[in-house]
Amino acid sequence: MSDIAVPTVGAKLSAEFLGTFVLVFGGCGSAIFAAKVLADNSVNMGIGFVGVSLAFGLTVLIMAYAVGHISGGHFNPAVTLGTAFAGRTPWKDVGPYIVTQIVAASVAGAVLFWIASGKDGFDAVESGFASNGYGDRSPDGYSLVAALVAEIVLTAIFLYVILGSTDERAPKGFAPIAIGLSLTLIHLVSIPITNTSVNPARSLGVAWFAGPEALGQVWLFIVAPIIGAAIAGVSYKVLFPAFVDKGREGFDRN
């Protein structure tokens, strides 16, 4: 049997860059370009909240299958930190992964801004440019505390799904489906609250272009996902410890 090649650091970071770029370009792009498209009779022919939710979930699903076997398919600083707390990601990889993810998200945001600027009358600040927010910048007017709690809880849920579906005991090959569907569900719940982050890179990637108010609130969408990820990463090993075969007949370690 031939040895399986271990991906180089460069390959891992390239995979994280590509996956994060597609996540932000596809997910935020769907919100910027396709969520609301008015026909001549003022009927919205766009994809709405459900379509945007699916777009985010699908981007994670397809890129996890495409490059997840190379880098682990994080595409999100919160995922990198959560898996590090859970002992799945070496701490030496955390810094390079997070820097790569933020750069990739920012490049995606710049490409989206370039494309969006091709339409007469486009204003990134006025439109919100798919940025996250609370209070006056929440899509449905939710407070800072509500946004903070939602982002912490939903990020923790996202990490539990990631850690559980990639556990050695889980069915093989289905993790990207579970992860993508969970991100879709998270967006269906929280787009009205915060426009959904659970990903500091995604938030920063578009906030650069959405004006000072967006940048003034982006701290919450860095802090809350980190807290949620840390809670899930630390507690997963306690809640679901690896079990040991004690020699019982029929015992299944998978």
Side-chain angles (χ1 to χ4, degrees):
M1 179 182 295
S2 60
D3 293 335
I4 298 175
V6 177
T8 64
V9 173
K12 290 180 180 180
L13 297 182
S14 296
E16 283 299 302
F17 185 99
L18 179 60
T20 308
F21 178 93
V22 172
L23 169 63
V24 175
F25 186 84
C28 293
S30 71
I32 293 167
F33 302 124
K36 184 178 180 181
V37 182
L38 295 180
D40 292 339
N41 57 359
S42 296
V43 174
N44 182 23
M45 303 298 290
I47 61 176
F49 286 174
V50 173
V52 173
S53 300
L54 285 168
F56 272 99
L58 287 171
T59 56
V60 168
L61 189 156
I62 62 174
M63 294 314 297
Y65 273 124
V67 298
H69 56 286
I70 298 173
S71 67
H74 297 184
F75 320 143
N76 180 343
V79 174
T80 298
L81 285 167
T83 54
F85 279 114
R88 304 276 189 88
T89 297
W91 281 101
K92 65 180 178 61
D93 291 343
V94 169
Y97 266 48
I98 290 177
V99 170
T100 299
Q101 291 154 359
I102 292 173
V103 171
S106 301
V107 171
V111 175
L112 289 171
F113 181 78
W114 184 31
I115 295 171
S117 298
K119 182 177 181 179
D120 289 341
F122 170 75
D123 187 320
V125 176
E126 183 178 344
S127 71
F129 202 61
S131 59
N132 303 114
Y134 53 84
D136 292 342
R137 299 197 74 260
S138 161
D140 205 24
Y142 286 86
S143 69
L144 183 157
V145 173
L148 183 69
V149 172
E151 289 288 331
I152 290 173
V153 171
L154 291 169
T155 306
I157 291 171
F158 190 40
L159 263 295
Y160 282 129
V161 172
I162 291 171
L163 293 170
S165 62
T166 58
D167 195 301
E168 291 182 352
R169 297 162 287 182
K172 307 304 179 188
F174 295 100
I177 298 173
I179 294 166
L181 289 175
S182 70
L183 190 60
T184 299
L185 174 62
I186 285 166
H187 278 78
L188 288 171
V189 171
S190 61
I191 286 178
I193 304 171
T194 63
N195 220 18
T196 312
S197 173
V198 301
N199 183 340
R202 169 260 187 270
S203 296
L204 282 167
V206 291
W208 307 124
F209 307 94
E213 290 188 5
L215 285 170
Q217 293 191 359
V218 78
W219 66 269
L220 185 145
F221 305 101
I222 297 172
V223 172
I226 290 174
I227 294 173
I231 290 170
V234 170
S235 64
Y236 184 85
K237 292 188 294 183
V238 176
L239 294 171
F240 311 110
F243 43 73
V244 179
D245 188 347
K246 299 297 185 180
R248 289 184 292 138
E249 185 176 352
F251 184 78
D252 184 4
R253 286 182 289 179
N254 296 318

